[in-house]
Amino acid sequence: QVQLVESGGGLVRPGGSLRLSCAASGFTFSNYVMSWYRQAPGKEREFVARISAPSTYTAYADSVKGRFTISRDNSKSTVYLQMNSLKSEDTAVYYCNAGRRWATGDYWGQGTQVTVSS
């Protein structure tokens, strides 16, 4: 059974940092492309970042480029999202996603709330 469990969300002030984690199980993690998405209240879910299976390639939404970094540890079956210089517009539920292709995958986590507010 595929499971993706996000953690690390919380309340942070503008300019602050958070690191999200997504622990995966139930599939061969090292073979899967991993992504982060987010959904703000009243908005559609949007792409944030993606990393290839051997960590060779990464991609970011323009809105987070230079501030967020996606990484993975295949030995721990975990993908991370380091978020720096957070802004109020980064407030959203952040979701982990897994798939076999360089696109939105079939598997989703339950999400973790990130709130950026003073």
Side-chain angles (χ1 to χ4, degrees), residues 4-118:
L4 298 172
V5 180
E6 300 96 333
S7 61
L11 173 64
V12 63
R13 294 183 184 275
S17 298
L18 279 176
R19 189 176 83 152
L20 306 183
S21 300
C22 171
S25 61
F27 62 100
T28 306
F29 179 79
S30 58
N31 290 345
Y32 277 68
V33 175
M34 300 300 297
S35 306
W36 287 96
Y37 287 75
R38 66 186 181 187
Q39 187 167 18
K43 295 188 176 182
E44 293 186 355
R45 192 172 297 188
E46 64 175 4
F47 167 77
V48 175
R50 179 169 293 135
I51 187 166
S52 60
S55 303
T56 306
Y57 302 105
T58 58
Y60 297 91
D62 287 343
S63 58
V64 308
K65 205 170 290 185
R67 300 188 298 122
F68 290 11
T69 302
I70 189 171
S71 62
R72 65 191 295 161
D73 185 340
N74 287 344
S75 68
K76 296 181 179 179
S77 296
T78 300
V79 61
Y80 305 97
L81 186 68
Q82 178 66 44
M83 305 186 296
N84 299 328
S85 303
L86 283 161
K87 307 175 181 179
S88 58
E89 50 263 44
D90 294 319
T91 295
V93 178
Y94 283 71
Y95 296 91
C96 181
N97 176 265
R100 295 301 305 272
R101 298 181 178 184
W102 192 252
T104 305
D106 294 328
Y107 305 122
W108 293 93
Q110 83 290 347
T112 185
Q113 176 71 48
V114 172
T115 302
V116 184
S117 175
S118 55

